Amino acid sequence: FTSRPDNSTATLSDASAADPTFFADLDGSYVLNLIVNDGLADSDPDKVTITATTPNSPPIADAGVDQSVSTNTTVTLNGSGSSDPDDADSLTYKWTFTSKPIGSTAALSDATTEKPTFTADLDGSYILSLVVNDGSVDSAADAVIISAATPNSPPVADAGADQSVSTGATVTLDGSGSSDPNNDPLTYNWTFTSKPIGSTAALSDATTEKPTF
């Protein structure tokens, strides 16, 4: 050896063999000289340089945990769990939508940051992929699913206008003015809360929009 990396303890298996070996224990250059002898005289030295480097390992992308959010809220993605086995390598980020609800115009605030945001503008699933790069090689992609739903609002009952009728007449009630902010289909449940003492009035069907009695 004429030189080797600082702190290397590399040694030749047999310095007098035609093909000795050594263990390249540190990154860097190992320079060795060879002199051969024919029994009478030494040759001039010849030099060989062995350069050792640690193989680069691909980084690991982590797109974070799946989320359930309310529609029209801002979603923050989180790639901070991504890592690199070589430790010293700094990571760059590349986020992409792989699917989103039909008609959605959701867009990432910055696809190259660790924690980009977007607005979940429609109900449905938003699937995003994260790939990280250590300066040399891309990671395998990791996916995260964001599920957006509009929070349910309670419906509004409308029992219709008060009525004055002749005794003995058939009364038709009208719940058709009832509504739901989410446009969900409605079911009906009519009940008498009071009636004249002795009355046997009964609803034709307490579960219809317009029962009679």
Side-chain angles (χ1 to χ4, degrees), residues 2-211:
T2 58
S3 73
R4 55 189 170 181
D6 291 343
N7 301 318
S8 171
T9 59
T11 55
L12 291 165
S13 58
D14 184 349
S16 63
D19 50 3
T21 62
F22 73 92
F23 178 68
D25 56 346
L26 295 175
D27 287 359
S29 295
Y30 300 76
V31 183
L32 300 99
N33 266 359
L34 172 64
I35 295 172
V36 294
N37 185 285
D38 63 1
L40 298 174
D42 284 345
S43 69
D44 291 330
D46 188 42
K47 180 178 75 172
V48 64
T49 301
I50 310 297
T51 303
T53 57
T54 301
N56 183 59
S57 301
I60 300 167
D62 183 344
V65 297
D66 295 344
Q67 301 181 50
S68 295
V69 301
S70 297
T71 302
N72 288 319
T73 59
T74 298
V75 178
T76 300
L77 302 173
N78 189 354
S80 64
S82 302
S83 59
D84 185 72
D86 302 319
D87 293 330
D89 297 333
S90 59
L91 298 177
T92 57
Y93 299 81
K94 183 181 180 182
W95 294 87
T96 54
F97 282 101
T98 56
S99 73
K100 53 187 173 181
I102 295 171
S104 170
T105 58
L108 291 166
S109 57
D110 185 343
T112 63
T113 63
E114 184 183 84
K115 297 179 179 181
T117 63
F118 73 93
T119 299
D121 57 345
L122 294 175
D123 288 0
S125 294
Y126 300 76
I127 303 177
L128 297 102
S129 173
L130 172 63
V131 173
V132 294
N133 185 287
D134 63 1
S136 299
V137 64
D138 284 344
S139 70
D142 188 43
V144 63
I145 301 173
I146 310 298
S147 300
T150 301
N152 185 62
S153 299
V156 179
D158 184 343
D162 294 345
Q163 301 180 49
S164 294
V165 300
S166 298
T167 302
T170 298
V171 178
T172 300
L173 301 173
D174 187 355
S176 63
S178 302
S179 60
D180 184 73
N182 306 121
N183 295 315
D184 295 328
L186 298 176
T187 58
Y188 299 83
N189 183 19
W190 293 87
T191 55
F192 282 102
T193 56
S194 71
K195 53 186 174 180
I197 295 172
S199 170
T200 59
L203 292 165
S204 57
D205 185 343
T207 62
T208 64
E209 185 182 80
K210 297 180 179 181

